[in-house]
Amino acid sequence: MAHEYPSSNSLLSRLIITPCFFIFLMFPLSSISSFHVILMSASPPTIAISKVEQDQEALALLTWKANLDNQTQVLLSSWFGRNSCHHWFGVACHRSRSVSDLNLQSCGLRGTLQNLNFSSLPNLLTLNLSNNSLHGTIPTNIGNISKLITILDLGSNHFTGVIPEQLGFLTSLRVLSLASNNFRGSILPFIGNLKNLTILNLYENELSGSIPQEIGLLRSLNELDLGINSLIGPITPSIGNLRNLTTLYLAANKLSGSIPQEIGLLRSLNELDLGINSLIGPITPSIGNLKNLTTLILHTNKLSGSIPQEIGLLRSLNYLVLSFNNLTGPIPHSIGNLMNLTTLYLAANKLSGSIPQEIGLLRSLNELDLGINSLIGPITPSIGNLRNLTTLYLHTNKLFGFISQEIRLLRSLNDLELSVNSLTGPIPPSIGNLRNLTTLYLGANKLFGFIPQEIGLLRSLNDLDLSFNNLNGSIPASIGNLSSLTSLGLNHNKLSGALPLEMNNITHLEYLQLYENNFIGTISRVLNNFYGELSEKWGQCHKLTHLNISNNNISGSIPPQLGRATQLQRLDLSSNHLSGKIPKELKHSFEIGKLSDLQTLDLASNNLSGQIPKQIGNLWKLSSLNLSGNRFVDSIPDEIGKMHPLGSLDLSQNMLTGEIPPLLGELRYLETLNLSHNQLSGTIPHTFDDLISLTSADISYNQLEGPLPNIKAFAPFEAFRNNKGLYGNNVTHLKPCSRKKPTKFSVLIILLLIVSTLLFLSAFIIGIYFLVQKLGKKTTKSTLEVADVKDLFTILGHDGNLLYEHIIQGTDNFSSKQCIGTGGYGTVYKAELPNGRVVAVKKLHYSSYQDGGDMADLKAFKSEINALT
């Protein structure tokens, strides 16, 4: 909910509103202009000035013109010659033939004032250069301008720098406007010299510092506007001296302290705006003295205490805005005295008690906002007297009871917000009388019963929220009359039945919430009912951004026409009974990027099957993808790894197979990952070590093996339980194992060691044979030794066939998943040879042959092989 408060409008535009073309047409009548009437009292010269003085004035203006941009010079093409009073555009003169007025308001001037010789314009009474594109600083020689000048308006330009103190020399000034520029610095005390000022406008700059107390010397001031700056400190009490002030705007600064009680001395005040500051303390009761006040704006401060009863003395008040403060206590009954009030905003305070019945006396009221307070009790029936009311906000309070039947009398209402209260009972059918309603918010109450058929009479309705209530029954067919509806919230009720066919007329929806109900019917019918016929009318939903019909009983397949809702940002069809594959046409829509704005896709907890489409990777804005709890098969598509904004990915509880794509490791913003309860196999990609944003991971209940990524998300046992053969360092429940990749050199060393060992054993056997023949050793002992050696060949399983290529192939290039243990000399791997034989292969530690060591104890080596086989 947003309110628009009145801007700080200047009275200056009502005094000097002559546009350029109007000046050009009317300058012969300037002697009767409003400016000239003001200036006659300034004693302008009546005797004709000399030719030299006329030439000086013309030269000053021509020199300035020559230094403006080319377009401006074209605009001022009538400026030529020596007589500036002879049909020069925007220039008016006294009877003395001296320049009196220079009015070039809203003429598109571009340039600076640096080359304007102010001292050559000694009789100037009005200088109005407002609403142009002039820039730079105001030159200090502006103090040399005519001492007779009464109007100086440089507002709505691009001037910078500080406000020169030389302006303090222009003591005849009655109007000074420097508003809507980029001036910085403080408001200097020289301002107190301008005692004839009636209008001072410095709003919308970058002024800082405090409000000088010398401001209180401007006793002739009618209008003071210092709003939209960065002024700090308290409001000076000297402001109470400005007894002629009718308008005081100090809004949108950084003022602090309390509202001075001297404000009550400004009895001529019509408009007072102190909003958007940091004022504290109570609203001073002296404010009740301002009997002429029509506008009082104190919103967005830190005011506390109760609303004073004296507020009821302001019987001329039209506009009262006290929102966004810390006001407490009840709304005073004296509020009923404000018979002329058209706008009353008391929202976002801590007001308590009931809504006073005196509120019904404010028959001129157009807008009433009491939202975001702690008001209790029923909605007063007297509110039905406010027949001119267009806006009624009572939301976010503690109101209870039924919705007042008297609301039906507010036939001018456009916006009605009663949400976030404790209202009970049914929605009154008389709500249908409010034919001008565009917004109806009744959400988050305790309403029950059916949605009345009369809701369909609100044909101007754009936003309808009935969510978070206890409404039951079906949606009335009459809701199809709301063809202008852009937002519909019916979620978190007890609604049931099929959605009515008449809803096919609602083709402008941008936001839809139907979840947490008991709707039935097929999804194709649902979409037909909401968005027209499937084959033709889906393309009409160009503005639909949110579609949430989760937690219902929707069945059937996802309609292909859904891909034509090209503005979708969130699609939530979860927790229904959807079946079938993601349709080919929808995948095509993904492929060509028709759903390129989609940020959230939730199809979880349905009965969807088939493959996850590769085209889903083209949803490059997707930040959340949930396909869990379905029957998707085959592998995870690599294309998901291209969805770089993805922060949440849930593919759990499906029937996915194959390995995890390494591209998933490139999802740098991924925070949650759930791949559990599938049939995934292989190792976890090394790229997962780079998922630095990952805080929660679950790969449990799969067939994964090999090392775990070295990040904290995989540390809890629940994250990886029930897999085939995972291991990792510093992870409980798992055996650590090296993940170093073997080198070709280490493999060659192993082969050389094996060959040399075999040669040694062959020589050993031959030696034994000759020794037996020569020495005649016992046959039994020799036979046993030869048998032992043959047994060693059997253990090694070499038989001349373990070639290098077979070892590489059989160990999967010494993959860590083939690791079966670690021995004293190295790591042992399982290898399956081409002939089907499974053998153990030991890869020696680098140090075991780097240092020149060998296997001296053959018997120990044999025992080790036996233990590992």
Side-chain angles (χ1 to χ4, degrees):
M1 178 187 67
H3 301 303
E4 292 185 2
Y5 299 106
S7 61
S8 300
N9 295 319
S10 171
L11 291 178
L12 183 60
S13 60
R14 284 174 269 171
L15 292 176
I16 47 174
I17 195 170
T18 314
C20 288
F21 69 91
F22 191 71
I23 297 172
F24 183 71
L25 293 175
M26 297 297 292
F27 76 88
L29 303 178
S30 61
S31 59
I32 60 172
S33 69
S34 59
F35 297 145
H36 203 71
V37 170
I38 294 174
L39 301 177
M40 292 301 293
S41 61
S43 302
T46 56
I47 302 174
I49 63 173
S50 66
K51 186 66 174 175
V52 173
E53 291 174 317
Q54 287 185 22
D55 289 346
Q56 288 177 342
E57 288 183 340
L59 181 60
L61 294 177
L62 289 172
T63 301
W64 180 52
K65 169 190 169 182
N67 286 277
L68 299 175
D69 81 332
N70 293 335
Q71 184 177 353
T72 302
Q73 293 184 41
V74 172
L75 175 70
L76 302 179
S77 59
S78 61
W79 289 18
F80 64 90
R82 296 184 176 182
N83 187 358
S84 53
C85 294
H86 183 66
H87 303 298
W88 279 31
F89 177 69
V91 178
C93 294
H94 299 286
R95 293 177 181 176
S96 63
R97 311 290 296 173
S98 177
V99 175
S100 62
D101 303 313
L102 181 57
N103 192 333
L104 296 174
Q105 179 187 12
S106 303
C107 290
L109 304 181
R110 296 177 182 274
T112 70
L113 297 180
Q114 301 304 319
N115 294 287
L116 180 55
N117 187 354
F118 293 103
S119 60
S120 295
L121 303 171
N123 299 309
L124 195 65
L125 301 177
T126 299
L127 177 58
N128 186 354
L129 303 177
S130 64
N131 197 27
N132 284 290
S133 297
L134 299 172
H135 60 274
T137 60
I138 298 179
T140 56
N141 67 356
I142 197 170
N144 299 329
I145 204 170
S146 167
K147 299 302 184 290
L148 303 175
I149 191 168
T150 59
I151 296 177
L152 176 59
D153 189 351
L154 303 179
S156 299
N157 279 285
H158 306 296
F159 290 116
T160 56
V162 298
I163 299 174
E165 60 182 340
Q166 286 79 3
L167 289 176
F169 301 151
L170 310 180
T171 55
S172 297
L173 272 180
R174 297 184 180 181
V175 175
L176 175 59
S177 178
L178 305 177
S180 299
N181 280 286
N182 298 305
F183 292 115
R184 53 182 173 77
S186 302
I187 302 173
L188 298 176
F190 77 81
I191 205 78
N193 297 337
L194 309 180
K195 294 185 171 57
N196 290 307
L197 271 184
T198 59
I199 296 176
L200 176 58
N201 284 335
L202 303 179
Y203 65 87
E204 203 172 348
N205 279 286
E206 300 172 12
L207 300 173
S208 56
S210 59
I211 300 174
Q213 63 178 1
E214 287 81 1
I215 210 91
L217 300 175
L218 309 180
R219 298 177 183 269
S220 299
L221 211 56
N222 300 134
E223 179 180 315
L224 174 60
D225 192 345
L226 307 180
I228 317 179
N229 280 287
S230 297
L231 300 173
I232 61 173
I235 300 173
T236 175
S238 68
I239 210 160
N241 297 333
L242 310 181
R243 306 299 172 86
N244 293 307
L245 207 61
T246 59
T247 300
L248 176 58
Y249 291 152
L250 303 179
N253 280 285
K254 300 177 181 179
L255 298 173
S256 56
S258 59
I259 300 174
Q261 63 179 2
E262 288 82 359
I263 214 91
L265 301 174
L266 308 179
R267 298 177 184 269
S268 299
L269 210 57
N270 299 135
E271 299 179 50
L272 174 60
D273 186 353
L274 307 180
I276 317 179
N277 280 287
S278 297
L279 300 172
I280 60 173
I283 299 173
T284 174
S286 68
I287 211 160
N289 298 333
L290 309 181
K291 304 297 176 62
N292 294 309
L293 209 60
T294 60
T295 298
L296 175 58
I297 302 176
L298 304 177
H299 73 92
T300 318
N301 279 284
K302 300 177 182 178
L303 299 173
S304 56
S306 59
I307 300 174
Q309 287 286 343
E310 290 81 358
I311 211 86
L313 300 175
L314 308 179
R315 297 176 183 268
S316 299
L317 211 56
N318 302 133
Y319 204 96
L320 176 59
V321 182
L322 306 180
S323 305
F324 295 95
N325 281 288
N326 296 312
L327 299 173
T328 57
I331 299 172
H333 294 280
S334 63
I335 204 93
N337 298 334
L338 308 181
M339 302 287 192
N340 293 306
L341 209 59
T342 60
T343 299
L344 175 59
Y345 290 160
L346 303 180
N349 280 286
K350 299 177 181 178
L351 300 174
S352 56
S354 59
I355 300 173
Q357 63 178 1
E358 288 82 359
I359 212 89
L361 300 175
L362 308 180
R363 297 177 183 270
S364 299
L365 210 58
N366 299 134
E367 299 180 57
L368 174 59
D369 186 357
L370 307 180
I372 318 178
N373 280 289
S374 297
L375 299 173
I376 61 172
I379 300 172
T380 175
S382 68
I383 211 162
N385 298 332
L386 309 180
R387 305 298 172 84
N388 294 309
L389 208 61
T390 59
T391 300
L392 176 57
Y393 293 155
L394 302 179
H395 65 92
T396 320
N397 279 286
K398 300 176 181 178
L399 301 173
F400 54 79
F402 287 12
I403 296 176
S404 175
Q405 287 286 344
E406 285 74 13
I407 281 183
R408 75 184 190 279
L409 302 174
L410 308 180
R411 296 177 183 269
S412 299
L413 265 186
N414 299 134
D415 298 310
L416 175 59
E417 296 193 19
L418 306 179
S419 54
V420 196
N421 280 288
S422 296
L423 299 171
T424 59
I427 300 172
S430 60
I431 202 94
N433 294 340
L434 309 180
R435 305 295 174 85
N436 293 308
L437 268 188
T438 59
T439 300
L440 175 59
Y441 288 165
L442 303 179
N445 278 286
K446 299 177 181 179
L447 301 173
F448 56 80
F450 298 158
I451 300 174
Q453 284 282 349
E454 290 77 4
I455 206 87
L457 299 175
L458 309 179
R459 296 176 183 269
S460 299
L461 210 58
N462 299 133
D463 299 293
L464 174 60
D465 183 10
L466 307 179
S467 62
F468 292 93
N469 280 290
N470 295 309
L471 300 172
N472 55 35
S474 59
I475 298 175
S478 62
I479 204 167
N481 297 333
L482 309 182
S483 57
S484 299
L485 209 60
T486 59
S487 175
L488 175 61
L490 300 177
N491 52 290
H492 287 88
N493 278 287
K494 299 177 181 178
L495 298 171
S496 59
L499 299 173
L501 290 170
E502 289 77 7
M503 292 186 76
N504 100 24
N505 297 323
I506 308 176
T507 59
H508 295 91
L509 273 179
E510 300 176 17
Y511 188 83
L512 174 63
Q513 298 278 24
L514 298 177
Y515 59 96
E516 296 292 341
N517 281 289
N518 297 305
F519 294 124
I520 61 173
T522 64
I523 190 72
S524 58
R525 173 160 182 179
V526 170
L527 293 175
N528 181 58
N529 293 337
F530 274 98
Y531 309 111
E533 297 180 3
L534 295 179
S535 60
E536 299 177 0
K537 294 191 177 181
W538 259 111
Q540 298 177 9
C541 300
H542 298 302
K543 296 183 179 180
L544 185 65
T545 59
H546 292 69
L547 176 58
N548 187 338
I549 52 175
S550 61
N551 291 282
N552 279 287
N553 295 311
I554 306 301
S555 59
S557 60
I558 299 176
Q561 290 77 6
L562 185 59
R564 299 179 189 171
T566 56
Q567 298 300 315
L568 270 179
Q569 297 175 12
R570 176 173 180 173
L571 175 59
D572 190 348
L573 307 178
S574 62
S575 300
N576 280 288
H577 304 294
L578 299 173
S579 59
K581 300 179 180 179
I582 295 179
K584 177 181 178 182
E585 292 81 0
L586 190 59
K587 289 192 284 186
H588 183 65
S589 297
F590 288 148
E591 183 178 6
I592 61 177
K594 284 187 177 179
L595 297 180
S596 58
D597 287 334
L598 203 62
Q599 298 172 13
T600 299
L601 177 59
D602 192 346
L603 305 178
S605 301
N606 282 287
N607 296 313
L608 298 170
S609 58
Q611 297 178 333
I612 299 174
K614 295 181 179 180
Q615 294 84 352
I616 204 169
N618 292 337
L619 302 179
W620 58 278
K621 290 186 179 179
L622 207 64
S623 60
S624 177
L625 174 61
N626 191 346
L627 303 180
S628 63
N630 284 285
R631 299 178 183 178
F632 290 115
V633 296
D634 288 347
S635 59
I636 300 171
D638 290 341
E639 286 73 11
I640 289 181
K642 300 177 183 178
M643 303 162 69
H644 296 296
L646 208 59
S648 176
L649 175 61
D650 191 347
L651 305 179
S652 63
Q653 298 184 18
N654 281 286
M655 294 183 285
L656 299 172
T657 58
E659 297 189 351
I660 300 174
L663 279 176
L664 293 189
E666 297 185 7
L667 300 176
R668 298 292 185 263
Y669 299 101
L670 197 65
E671 296 180 2
T672 60
L673 172 65
N674 193 344
L675 303 178
S676 66
H677 294 85
N678 280 287
Q679 299 171 21
L680 300 173
S681 59
T683 59
I684 302 172
H686 292 275
T687 55
F688 273 43
D689 287 335
D690 298 326
L691 296 176
I692 57 177
S693 297
L694 197 64
T695 58
S696 174
D698 190 350
I699 56 171
S700 61
Y701 296 92
N702 280 287
Q703 300 296 318
L704 299 170
E705 52 189 333
L708 279 171
N710 190 26
I711 52 178
K712 292 183 178 179
F714 289 93
F717 177 62
E718 293 76 13
F720 55 80
R721 67 184 303 169
N722 290 82
N723 273 283
K724 185 177 180 181
L726 292 172
Y727 57 84
N729 296 318
N730 302 319
V731 178
T732 56
H733 308 284
L734 289 182
K735 179 182 177 180
C737 188
S738 172
R739 296 179 61 183
K740 291 184 178 179
K741 192 173 181 179
T743 64
K744 187 173 180 179
F745 179 72
S746 63
V747 174
L748 289 173
I749 292 298
I750 292 174
L751 289 175
L752 290 174
L753 287 173
I754 291 174
V755 171
S756 60
T757 301
L758 291 174
L759 291 174
F760 171 77
L761 289 175
S762 299
F764 179 69
I765 292 170
I766 294 171
I768 290 176
Y769 174 76
F770 284 106
L771 188 61
V772 169
Q773 292 295 324
K774 183 176 181 180
L775 299 177
K777 294 291 185 180
K778 294 180 180 181
T779 304
T780 304
K781 182 177 180 181
S782 297
T783 303
L784 289 174
E785 288 179 354
V786 173
D788 285 346
V789 174
K790 288 182 179 180
D791 187 50
L792 179 61
F793 273 91
T794 303
I795 293 171
L796 289 173
H798 184 65
D799 296 331
N801 296 322
L802 273 179
L803 301 176
Y804 172 75
E805 290 80 7
H806 292 166
I807 293 175
I808 293 297
Q809 181 180 0
T811 60
D812 196 15
N813 197 19
F814 289 96
S815 171
S816 56
K817 69 180 181 180
Q818 301 296 337
C819 172
I820 59 175
T822 302
Y825 294 97
T827 303
V828 180
Y829 296 85
K830 181 177 71 174
E832 183 175 355
L833 300 180
N835 60 7
R837 180 178 297 175
V838 178
V839 298
V841 178
K842 172 176 251 187
K843 178 175 73 73
L844 297 182
H845 293 312
Y846 184 74
S847 59
S848 64
Y849 54 83
Q850 181 71 15
D851 298 331
D854 59 7
M855 289 176 279
D857 193 345
L858 182 61
K859 187 176 291 187
F861 182 54
K862 170 184 171 183
S863 299
E864 186 176 349
I865 294 175
N866 270 317
L868 293 172
T869 302

